[in-house]
Each structure stands twice: as C-alpha cells, then as structure tokens.
Amino acid sequence: MLEVTRKLVDLLDLSPMGDDHFQGDSEDLGFPNVFGGQVLGQALMAASRTVEGRLPHSLHAYFLRPGNHSMPIDYEVQRVRDGGSFSVRRVIARQDGKEILTGSMSFQVAEEGFEHQLDMPSAPDPDSLKSEQDYGKMLAPHVPEHLRDTLVRDRPIEIRPVDPVNPLKPEPRPPYKQSWFRTQGHLPDDPVLHRCLLTYASDFSFLGTALNPHGVTFMSKKMQIASLDHSIWFHREFRMDDWLLYDKDSPSASGGRGFNRGNFFDQQGRLVASTTQEALIRHRG
C-alpha cells in the first residue's frame, strides 16, 4: 500500500470513545471546509463498528453544517434495530458540540435472490486517459498560487476523467460525466473498508455534473456550491484497488439546487453501487 493511501485508510480507522461513540481526524484537501466524502466514509465506518456478520447495503445522509478540517469529528451511533436479516444504525457527526451530518445506514446478511442490472455504458479504457493530477499539473501555472498545491497534490484515489471540463474556460455541455476511480496501491481484503472508501470517493466530481449545462465550475466567480445530501446503495462485491467506472448524470436543476445520480461499474460490466445527491448550486449575481 502506498503511503498516501495508508494515510486515507488510517483516516477511516476511527478511535473508539466508548458507548458507541467514535472519533475521527480531519484532513485538509485545500477546500474551505471538510470534504463531505470524508464525513460520509467515517460515518459508515462508525456504524459498521457496531454490526457483526452483516455488510452495509445502503446509506442516506444529510449535510447540516460545514465541517472544520482543523478539528476532529465525533460520531455517535444509535442502534435503531437488529432484525433477522437487517440492522439499521443512525449516525450523528458533531464538531464543537454541533451536528454537521446525520444519516442512517442499513446492513444485511449475505443472501441469494433475483438478479438483473442495467448494461454498463460505453467508456474509454482507463489506460488511455490522463489522471486528474496530470490535468492539475497542466493547469497549475494558470491559477493563483494558493490553489496550485491542491491541483498537484498526491492523491490516494486516482481519478481519470473522461472528456474533462476546463475549469478556467467552462462551456455549456450535456449533464453527463464519467470518471474511472481506483485507490493507489493494493488494499487488504476487508469488504467494509472497500465500501467506506467508495463512499469517500463517491463525493468527488459528483456535484459538478449539475453545473455542466450552465457553463460554470467550482472555480467560477460568485458561485456558492455545497452538497446537501448523499445516498449510496451497494449492489455487489467490488474492490476499490481495481478500476471502477463512475457514470453520472443530472436529470434536473431548479430552485438553486442540482440533482445528481451515479452508477459504479467494474471492468467486467457489473453494477456494484449507485449514488444520488442533491447540491446547492447558487449563483450570487
């Protein structure tokens, strides 16, 4: 495992504080606030620590306040129900005594049943694409100095976008995005860790799907953007150290909000996870 990936795995390895309470550190990715995917991944890890013999199959969370990346985050897990096949947990994330996220996670025993899925859409092979870090190095000389480290930093999740938007000269385009994702280096055989890492990564390049038709990006002036909620469904087993295609679309934007959907496929064409998110996309004209 590469050191940059080990740091992310350690970030998700929460410290038990007793009575179903856990604490996680925060990381500074160069954003004004804590990266939402970090809080989601840690919240799922906290809930998973209170369940045995069952893996998470869905997560639904609301972002309530911006997180401070200079402070740790406290996670309280509430054991809602343990049934014959399913377990449900509620998680509340707090900083400085204030709630920044609340969510529910459901876990299920392994079970056989009916099988069907949507076909995997066509996409270029990941080996034919440049990484976001490669594009960041190309953009770095053209952005303010305080943004350059964020663009060129080493990343535990390698992202290779298909037909990326130039954030310095965005143009209106259809509300679709595709990216290949995988962790840098090999991971241990822990299905909970792989689910938490996908949860973490699923917040990257998702919100921007709703911005595509409007010719703006997170770097555009007078834009206020933030994730409002996030949901994930895990369908099949997968590995985050193998390439996964993240196929995204945005069916609607209205009322200052953009709605996004996503599907993760492995290279064999299996649909392994699905996501939805509503985001604030407010233009302060």
Side-chain angles (χ1 to χ4, degrees):
M1 189 188 305
L2 300 185
E3 182 60 26
V4 67
T5 306
R6 186 179 303 281
K7 289 180 179 179
L8 175 55
V9 172
D10 290 343
L11 187 74
L12 295 173
D13 187 18
L14 307 179
S15 301
M17 307 300 289
D19 297 326
D20 291 345
H21 283 71
F22 304 85
Q23 187 175 86
D25 293 328
S26 296
E27 64 175 350
D28 184 356
L29 295 182
F31 306 139
N33 306 306
V34 171
F35 173 53
Q38 176 206 306
V39 189
L40 291 167
Q42 289 180 329
L44 182 59
M45 182 63 78
S48 298
R49 293 281 174 84
T50 70
V51 180
E52 293 185 7
R54 302 176 181 192
L55 292 174
H57 71 88
S58 66
L59 171 157
H60 307 277
Y62 283 93
F63 297 101
L64 305 178
R65 291 181 177 85
N68 184 339
H69 45 57
S70 66
M71 300 172 59
I73 303 175
D74 296 317
Y75 295 90
E76 175 190 349
V77 181
Q78 300 173 356
R79 302 187 184 223
V80 178
R81 184 174 187 271
D82 288 303
S85 301
F86 293 88
S87 294
V88 175
R89 298 291 185 264
R90 185 178 296 117
V91 180
I92 301 171
R94 296 184 178 92
Q95 278 187 322
D96 198 26
K98 297 179 180 179
E99 296 182 10
I100 64 171
L101 175 139
T102 182
S104 296
M105 294 82 177
S106 185
F107 300 75
Q108 184 186 11
V109 298
E111 186 174 331
E112 297 295 326
F114 295 113
E115 285 266 350
H116 78 271
Q117 68 161 75
L118 296 175
D119 290 338
M120 180 180 180
S122 60
D125 189 277
D127 291 335
S128 68
L129 303 172
K130 290 183 173 66
S131 70
E132 280 196 346
Q133 188 177 23
D134 293 331
Y135 286 110
K137 292 176 180 178
M138 295 166 58
L139 287 171
H142 308 287
V143 302
E145 188 172 350
H146 71 277
L147 295 176
R148 292 175 187 170
D149 287 345
T150 299
L151 290 174
V152 302
R153 64 180 174 82
D154 290 332
R155 308 174 186 210
I157 307 293
E158 183 177 2
I159 303 174
R160 296 192 180 184
V162 176
D163 191 21
V165 174
N166 181 349
L168 303 180
K169 296 180 180 180
E171 297 179 352
R173 55 170 64 190
Y176 302 100
K177 294 181 75 173
Q178 286 184 327
S179 302
W180 287 96
F181 281 63
R182 72 174 176 186
T183 57
Q184 299 269 23
H186 185 70
L187 294 171
D189 299 331
D190 179 355
V192 171
L193 175 62
H194 287 262
R195 282 166 167 78
C196 291
L197 285 167
L198 185 144
T199 300
Y200 171 90
S202 68
D203 202 29
F204 282 121
S205 74
F206 199 15
L207 185 157
T209 313
L211 301 179
N212 266 11
H214 311 287
V216 294
T217 72
F218 69 97
M219 294 183 68
S220 299
K221 295 181 179 179
K222 298 183 179 180
M223 285 298 300
Q224 182 184 9
I225 58 175
S227 301
L228 297 174
D229 62 18
H230 200 104
S231 295
I232 302 176
W233 294 263
F234 300 106
H235 308 306
R236 295 169 179 85
E237 294 300 311
F238 62 91
R239 295 191 62 90
M240 273 297 293
D241 47 8
D242 291 334
W243 284 116
L244 297 175
L245 176 69
Y246 197 9
D247 184 75
K248 295 148 284 188
D249 66 22
S250 177
S252 175
S254 63
R257 306 182 315 277
F259 177 61
N260 304 294
R261 305 181 300 190
N263 287 314
F264 280 93
F265 296 86
D266 66 16
Q267 286 190 284
Q268 289 69 51
R270 298 165 60 251
L271 178 61
V272 300
S274 297
T275 57
T276 61
Q277 182 186 85
E278 192 172 47
L280 178 70
I281 52 170
R282 179 181 290 154
H283 185 258
R284 295 183 176 275

